[in-house]
Amino acid sequence: MTKEEFKLTPWEVSGDIDYNKIIKEFGVSVINSKILSKLKNAPPVIKRGLYFTHRDFDLWLEDALSGKKVSIVSGRGPSERMHIGHLVPYLAAKYLQEEFNCPLYIPISDDEKFYVKKDLSFENVEKYAEDNILDLIALGFKQSKTFIHRDFQYTKIYKYAAQIAKKITFSTAKAVFGFNNDNNIGWVFYPAMQSAHIYLPQFEGGAHRTIVPIAIDQDPYMRILRDVADKFNFIKPGAIHAKFFPGLSGDPKMSSSLNNTIWLTDTPEDVERKIKKYAFSGGKETLEEHRKKGGNPDIDVSFLHLKYLFEPDDKKLSNIYNDYKSGKMLTSELKEITIEKINKFLKEHQRKRELARKQTDKFIYKE
Amino acid sequence: MTKEEFKLTPWEVSGDIDYNKIIKEFGVSVINSKILSKLKNAPPVIKRGLYFTHRDFDLWLEDALSGKKVSIVSGRGPSERMHIGHLVPYLAAKYLQEEFNCPLYIPISDDEKFYVKKDLSFENVEKYAEDNILDLIALGFKQSKTFIHRDFQYTKIYKYAAQIAKKITFSTAKAVFGFNNDNNIGWVFYPAMQSAHIYLPQFEGGAHRTIVPIAIDQDPYMRILRDVADKFNFIKPGAIHAKFFPGLSGDPKMSSSLNNTIWLTDTPEDVERKIKKYAFSGGKETLEEHRKKGGNPDIDVSFLHLKYLFEPDDKKLSNIYNDYKSGKMLTSELKEITIEKINKFLKEHQRKRELARKQTDKFIYKE
């Protein structure tokens, strides 16, 4: 069996991702049962293994459980509207914030997206930043402990980034990110801004453990920023790494560029149409064959939506899994369940999103 | 006659500077008598040729004289206390502001100095920024039209710099500034910040002509930033370029690293000691020879201080020149005049510097 060689950078994912290879190459640790046993009431993204590896999450948990100061950072690059794949880190962050009652910082990297996306105008990235902040607030974070800030608005971040930038040479950045001479100088500088986001809790609140829920492709940023911790007497920030959330078509990473996305602002009709038309199915080609041999829920995108996002109840999920696998449940029936679950979530989300318009100011970090 | 090959970058000046070669290589225009005839009551730094070349100063003057909106930008990199060589651009800026009643922006590039000077700490660059601002305010700029801002404090500048950074590739920056892989990524980004300083009047006030008094070694920044003007519908900023103000020892550029500097905070005794001990003299070796053959004022550092900074009266300067050249005036007598003039200036400057402590807030740009 041959696999297409995969490519993985913070800006590009292609080919068949070999997660075991990543674990070895990146030198990250697996989120094992010992860690999971300490996470009561964890949401699907955590308890069902979408978050699969970490750096120093065990140490963060130890501090959190013993009442020491800890924090969470979970950034958002506003290059477009948000889709359901973008929920992944925030569902993890929300759980950790609630469970351990700790501050959550949400840096909006309007600058990164502006630097990296050739055709994204300054005006549009700002528009998306404002739009995305509504979705983030709608997720229901604890207002008194949640701090949203935008690089193009929040004064202090450049000052902190500069202090980190002085410690990172172009050749280090080049080695870690694969920069070349055609990259613009904002893009080259951005790793320092990203580092500043993640050190912000320590810059402002002194040395303590921070955890960052990220997709695994963002880990190079963690490596470069962890290397400078000692120079500031900070503690190396930790991370939990998610596998990619699949696109409707079954592509490894949900992405708007592949037209296989459910937006957080989609109507019930949009969702129904997209799931029915595009959601990659693990079912058999004919009804007869499906009833006889059963479907494959492990590759069925509708099922994966339930598994990782929309069906927290283990018993219910298990029933769906078994019924689909045995052939008792048809693809059309599975899709109906997924459509209903997504629409139920989106209805509530969109209601809260409208309310968020009046709450923005309370969440924006200004100190 | 062989000359040591000179080297000139925004961070390094060495060898014997060949200004004619620079004019040709940089493609700048000479400040000719036609331009000078339009500058009534110009200060010594302008009327006596320390400012020797320009880019679009003629066009700036045309707009200024016809009542169109124009502005001045004159930045300061706070890597140390200020010395009298640092006065040069501000004497030009002050004159232009008064003569043409236009706004003057003074960006304090604390970030540049922090990136470039390996051993300069963040705390020290901030201390020098505060200190230098006192000297700048003491120079007596029109408060209602003077805007001082610091990169580590002024929110908006990063937002503007980012928009410029997207238009500058690493290879362009490398070609213009000679960057290599060992430069830190803050330093690599800095040309975008510098450009943002100079476009700030246009970002905030719409397209108009801006003039920047700089030493000739800073011209690469002008070249890189003028290239992006069209992309923002801005007018290419102009510049007037000064030759280097000589150090006491006669080195081409006054620099604190050469221990040949008169600080703006020096005492009268400091000044007397330094001029007597270090100021390179154009006089002859013996009194007898000097009386007979005369001195050379053109290479005499004490005389050059009078010429470019401290003796605005042409008649008086001419008398000193002739008397020294004929041998009528001795080096010791010339030095006494210079010491007196510098100390008179510094006494007043230091008085105003103390008053400036209470005025800082009025000059800091916050919009």
Side-chain angles (χ1 to χ4, degrees):
Chain A
M1 182 176 152
T2 63
K3 281 193 159 189
E4 189 194 336
E5 191 63 23
F6 71 92
K7 187 168 178 181
L8 190 68
T9 75
W11 312 287
E12 192 184 354
V13 179
S14 65
D16 294 318
I17 308 298
D18 180 342
Y19 288 111
N20 286 324
K21 196 170 170 187
I22 288 173
I23 292 171
K24 206 173 153 191
E25 280 185 5
F26 283 22
V28 291
S29 308
V30 170
I31 297 180
N32 56 23
S33 55
K34 190 177 163 200
I35 288 177
L36 288 173
S37 72
K38 292 179 183 165
L39 299 169
K40 308 296 176 204
N41 310 310
V45 290
I46 291 179
K47 71 177 175 181
R48 296 187 186 136
L50 194 63
Y51 279 93
F52 72 120
T53 58
H54 73 97
R55 290 183 187 275
D56 294 348
F57 184 42
D58 49 345
L59 301 175
W60 185 91
L61 270 179
E62 211 172 278
D63 279 9
L65 287 166
S66 67
K68 283 188 188 158
K69 182 177 190 171
V70 293
S71 60
I72 310 164
V73 175
S74 185
R76 163 77 193 141
S79 62
E80 56 186 1
R81 290 173 291 159
M82 285 176 74
H83 57 61
I84 57 174
H86 294 138
L87 295 174
V88 172
Y90 297 103
L91 295 174
K94 191 183 177 200
Y95 163 71
L96 293 172
Q97 179 182 52
E98 284 172 3
E99 193 68 11
F100 301 105
N101 191 29
C102 63
L104 164 64
Y105 292 78
I106 306 182
I108 307 291
S109 56
D110 37 14
D111 53 343
E112 178 192 21
K113 294 302 173 181
F114 176 69
Y115 293 138
V116 171
K117 305 255 172 189
K118 196 162 181 280
D119 297 323
L120 183 61
S121 72
F122 185 79
E123 290 69 27
N124 278 337
V125 79
E126 290 303 79
K127 204 184 70 186
Y128 286 130
E130 282 159 27
D131 173 90
N132 290 184
I133 286 170
L134 297 180
D135 284 313
L136 293 166
I137 292 173
L139 293 174
F141 300 111
K142 199 176 238 185
Q143 185 243 299
S144 65
K145 292 194 174 241
T146 302
F147 310 101
I148 300 175
H149 54 95
R150 292 160 64 175
D151 287 342
F152 286 149
Q153 289 192 344
Y154 176 61
T155 316
K156 281 186 182 171
I157 201 75
Y158 176 72
K159 181 172 106 172
Y160 294 140
Q163 293 174 63
I164 295 166
K166 190 171 179 173
K167 313 286 186 192
I168 303 176
T169 63
F170 181 71
S171 54
T172 301
K174 195 175 169 174
V176 175
F177 298 108
F179 285 133
N180 63 52
N181 286 354
D182 292 333
N183 288 117
N184 68 62
I185 59 176
W187 193 344
V188 170
F189 180 67
Y190 182 72
M193 292 293 281
Q194 175 99 333
S195 303
H197 295 156
I198 293 173
Y199 282 117
L200 182 64
Q202 296 193 69
F203 270 117
E204 305 260 301
H208 67 270
R209 293 208 176 268
T210 300
I211 199 79
V212 192
I214 48 175
I216 186 67
D217 59 334
Q218 302 298 308
D219 190 64
Y221 282 118
M222 295 306 299
R223 296 201 291 271
I224 206 167
L225 74 89
R226 282 167 59 93
D227 277 350
V228 303
D230 290 349
K231 291 168 182 163
F232 298 92
N233 294 316
F234 289 157
I235 298 177
K236 288 183 201 299
I240 52 175
H241 306 105
K243 295 180 182 178
F244 299 114
F245 190 78
L248 290 180
S249 66
D251 284 301
K253 188 180 179 183
M254 181 171 279
S255 149
S256 56
S257 56
L258 296 170
N259 190 27
N260 60 1
T261 298
I262 290 172
W263 302 104
L264 294 180
T265 47
D266 272 352
T267 64
E269 294 73 29
D270 291 332
V271 172
E272 184 175 358
R273 181 180 50 79
K274 288 183 185 179
I275 292 290
K276 286 187 175 171
K277 185 165 178 185
Y278 297 113
F280 181 80
S281 166
K284 293 296 181 295
E285 296 219 341
T286 65
L287 186 67
E288 197 185 2
E289 198 189 352
H290 188 84
R291 288 286 190 211
K292 197 168 144 192
K293 298 188 180 168
N296 182 354
D298 294 313
I299 61 165
D300 187 287
V301 171
S302 300
F303 181 79
L304 295 175
H305 277 68
L306 294 176
K307 177 177 174 183
Y308 290 127
L309 294 177
F310 299 111
E311 184 48 81
D313 186 316
D314 292 339
K315 187 87 182 85
K316 284 184 187 169
L317 189 77
S318 172
N319 287 341
I320 294 169
Y321 185 89
N322 292 331
D323 287 353
Y324 192 63
K325 195 157 189 169
S326 71
K328 186 176 163 193
M329 182 181 282
L330 299 177
T331 296
S332 58
E333 292 167 326
L334 173 57
K335 285 194 172 188
E336 280 301 340
I337 295 172
T338 304
I339 290 166
E340 196 196 321
K341 281 280 184 181
I342 294 179
N343 278 336
K344 192 179 161 198
F345 170 83
L346 289 185
K347 187 178 174 189
E348 183 62 6
H349 180 78
Q350 290 166 10
R351 187 183 69 80
K352 289 185 188 155
R353 196 179 188 277
E354 284 312 303
L355 296 176
R357 293 184 193 278
K358 289 186 179 160
Q359 297 170 283
T360 304
D361 202 51
K362 287 183 189 160
F363 279 91
I364 296 292
Y365 188 52
K366 296 186 196 78
E367 273 168 53
Chain B
M1 184 176 152
T2 62
K3 281 192 158 189
E4 188 194 336
E5 192 63 21
F6 70 92
K7 185 166 179 182
L8 190 67
T9 74
W11 312 285
E12 192 184 354
V13 179
S14 65
D16 294 319
I17 308 298
D18 181 341
Y19 288 109
N20 287 324
K21 196 170 170 188
I22 289 174
I23 292 171
K24 208 174 150 190
E25 282 185 4
F26 284 20
V28 292
S29 309
V30 170
I31 296 178
N32 56 23
S33 55
K34 190 178 163 199
I35 287 177
L36 288 173
S37 72
K38 292 179 183 165
L39 300 169
K40 309 295 178 204
N41 310 310
V45 290
I46 290 178
K47 70 178 178 182
R48 294 184 186 139
L50 193 63
Y51 280 93
F52 72 120
T53 57
H54 73 98
R55 291 185 187 274
D56 294 347
F57 185 41
D58 48 347
L59 300 175
W60 185 91
L61 269 179
E62 212 171 275
D63 280 8
L65 287 166
S66 66
K68 284 188 189 158
K69 182 176 190 172
V70 293
S71 61
I72 310 164
V73 175
S74 185
R76 163 76 194 142
S79 61
E80 56 186 3
R81 289 173 291 161
M82 286 177 73
H83 57 61
I84 56 175
H86 293 137
L87 296 173
V88 172
Y90 298 103
L91 296 173
K94 191 183 177 198
Y95 162 72
L96 293 172
Q97 178 181 52
E98 285 172 1
E99 193 69 10
F100 301 103
N101 191 30
C102 62
L104 164 63
Y105 292 79
I106 307 182
I108 307 292
S109 56
D110 35 15
D111 53 344
E112 179 192 21
K113 293 303 172 183
F114 175 69
Y115 293 138
V116 171
K117 305 255 173 188
K118 195 160 180 284
D119 297 324
L120 183 60
S121 71
F122 185 79
E123 291 68 28
N124 278 337
V125 79
E126 289 303 78
K127 204 185 70 186
Y128 286 130
E130 280 160 27
D131 175 273
N132 288 185
I133 287 171
L134 298 179
D135 284 313
L136 292 167
I137 293 173
L139 293 174
F141 300 111
K142 200 177 238 186
Q143 185 243 301
S144 65
K145 291 191 175 245
T146 302
F147 310 101
I148 300 175
H149 54 96
R150 292 160 65 174
D151 287 342
F152 286 149
Q153 289 191 343
Y154 177 60
T155 318
K156 281 186 183 172
I157 201 75
Y158 176 71
K159 180 172 106 171
Y160 295 140
Q163 293 175 65
I164 296 166
K166 190 170 179 174
K167 313 284 186 193
I168 303 175
T169 62
F170 181 69
S171 54
T172 302
K174 194 174 171 175
V176 175
F177 298 109
F179 285 133
N180 62 52
N181 287 355
D182 292 334
N183 288 117
N184 67 62
I185 58 175
W187 193 343
V188 170
F189 181 68
Y190 182 72
M193 291 293 281
Q194 175 98 333
S195 303
H197 295 156
I198 293 173
Y199 282 117
L200 182 63
Q202 296 193 72
F203 271 117
E204 305 260 301
H208 66 268
R209 292 206 177 269
T210 300
I211 198 78
V212 192
I214 48 175
I216 187 67
D217 59 334
Q218 302 297 308
D219 190 64
Y221 283 117
M222 296 305 300
R223 297 201 291 270
I224 205 165
L225 73 91
R226 282 166 60 93
D227 278 351
V228 303
D230 290 349
K231 290 167 184 165
F232 297 93
N233 294 317
F234 289 158
I235 298 177
K236 287 182 200 301
I240 53 175
H241 306 105
K243 294 178 182 178
F244 299 113
F245 190 79
L248 289 180
S249 65
D251 285 301
K253 186 180 180 183
M254 179 171 279
S255 148
S256 58
S257 55
L258 297 169
N259 190 28
N260 60 0
T261 298
I262 290 172
W263 302 103
L264 293 180
T265 46
D266 272 351
T267 65
E269 296 72 30
D270 291 330
V271 173
E272 184 175 358
R273 179 178 52 80
K274 288 182 185 180
I275 292 289
K276 285 186 174 171
K277 186 165 178 184
Y278 297 113
F280 181 79
S281 166
K284 294 296 180 296
E285 295 221 342
T286 65
L287 186 66
E288 197 183 1
E289 199 189 351
H290 187 87
R291 287 287 191 211
K292 199 169 144 189
K293 298 187 179 168
N296 181 356
D298 294 312
I299 61 165
D300 187 286
V301 171
S302 300
F303 180 78
L304 295 176
H305 276 68
L306 296 176
K307 177 178 174 182
Y308 290 126
L309 295 177
F310 300 112
E311 184 47 82
D313 187 316
D314 292 340
K315 185 87 183 87
K316 284 184 185 169
L317 188 78
S318 171
N319 288 340
I320 293 170
Y321 185 91
N322 293 331
D323 287 353
Y324 192 63
K325 192 155 191 166
S326 72
K328 186 176 163 191
M329 182 182 282
L330 299 178
T331 295
S332 59
E333 292 166 327
L334 172 58
K335 287 193 170 187
E336 280 301 340
I337 295 172
T338 304
I339 291 165
E340 197 195 321
K341 281 281 184 179
I342 294 178
N343 278 336
K344 192 178 162 199
F345 170 83
L346 288 185
K347 187 178 174 189
E348 183 63 6
H349 179 80
Q350 290 165 10
R351 188 183 67 81
K352 289 184 188 154
R353 195 179 189 279
E354 284 312 303
L355 297 176
R357 292 183 193 280
K358 289 185 179 160
Q359 298 171 281
T360 304
D361 201 52
K362 288 181 189 160
F363 279 91
I364 296 292
Y365 189 51
K366 294 184 198 80
E367 275 167 51

